[in-house]
Amino acid sequence: MEKKGKMMEKARVLSGMRPTGKLHLGNYLGALKNWLSLQERYECFYFLADWHALTSEYADTGPLKSYILDIGTDWLAAGLDPERCTLFIQSRVPEHAELHLLLSMITPLAWLERVPTYKEQQQELKEKDLSTYGFLGYPLLQTADIIIYKAHYVPVGVDQVPHVELSREIVRRFHYLYGKEVFPEPAALLTEIPKVPGTDGRKMSKSYDNAIYLSDPPEAIREKIRTMVTDPQRARRHDPGDPEVCPVFAFHKIYSAVAEIDRINQECRSAEIGCVECKQILSQNLLKEMQGFMERREYYVHRPDQVREILEEGSKRARRVARETMDEVREAMQIA
Ligand code: TRP
Ligand code: SF4
């Protein structure tokens, strides 16, 4: 028999992805790999933030369901283990909306208006009308996502840190107003994001059309690497190159062994190696590293019902936790 006092509860981690497109290597190296290592040490909740996707995609909701399935497939292929972490869909846990509503009562408008992503995104996505109620509430819905599971840590990129900061402020305000410490104050776990360039040398992004997708077959990946931008100064085979400005080399740093990286570094500068060969080596190393992922992806792609079932079961489990928290919230707020 385990003694209760000695049982150390694992700290809780929560994070989400918006299902607004297929995942690419940048998403994999930046977020997913990190999620994977966190499941070893923490009790993890990972979810598809489909309501958050709606804040910008409300006029074109058609593709949402297929992105949910596609990303769920990538998660499982990457090795997120539904036995160890809870994988779920935000909209399948309507308690997020209830908590969002209650929190909206205590959140000063100015707190939301001063979140940097609010004006930035409106500027950036000019083609979409983001002057909506839902978009202003984006970080508050995110707060509800986080605290409804009493998460301690939230792995996110640096752009999301102000959102986690807001959630801490909301938690403090809730405790101050209702005199009950219901929630831990969540902390951002900054994900060290390796700079992954796209095939054109800019940041990898679906909107630049320069991404290598996790769902790309090996042939497509080879072709994308074959036509990738290199050092623009290296016009001819006998011109020496500068690996530090070459996106192909940036990938070697991720996928090739140290000795090979050193060799390419030297032989590019002395024009001993050509870009064609350099890219072939990269393709080989990258595909070898991704082989396990691709095999597992192949398995799940042909079993969409199994993927849906896992997300459905995860959503049920998440909902049980969310309901318990909502009982405490209603009690603290003295709601009937
Ligand atoms: N806003 C996050 C992003 O764009 C997605 C997200 C929604 C999220 N809810 C969350 C991340 C809660 C962490 C915790 O990446
Ligand atoms: Fe880039 Fe490789 Fe060509 Fe050098 S040899 S410019 S690192 S592709």
Side-chain angles (χ1 to χ4, degrees), residues 229-231 234 241-243 246-249 252 264 268-269 273-276 278-279:
V229 166
T230 61
D231 173 5
R234 201 179 177 194
D242 178 2
C246 176
V248 178
F249 191 66
H252 273 296
I264 289 168
C268 172
R269 291 174 195 277
I273 189 172
C275 296
V276 174
C278 181
K279 288 171 163 182

Side-chain angles (χ1 to χ4, degrees), residues 14-16 18 47 49 52 138 142 145-146 154 156 160:
L14 173 131
S15 197
R18 300 192 316 141
F47 72 103
H52 276 105
Y138 184 118
Q142 186 163 349
D145 298 337
I146 296 167
V154 187
V156 282
Q160 294 288 309

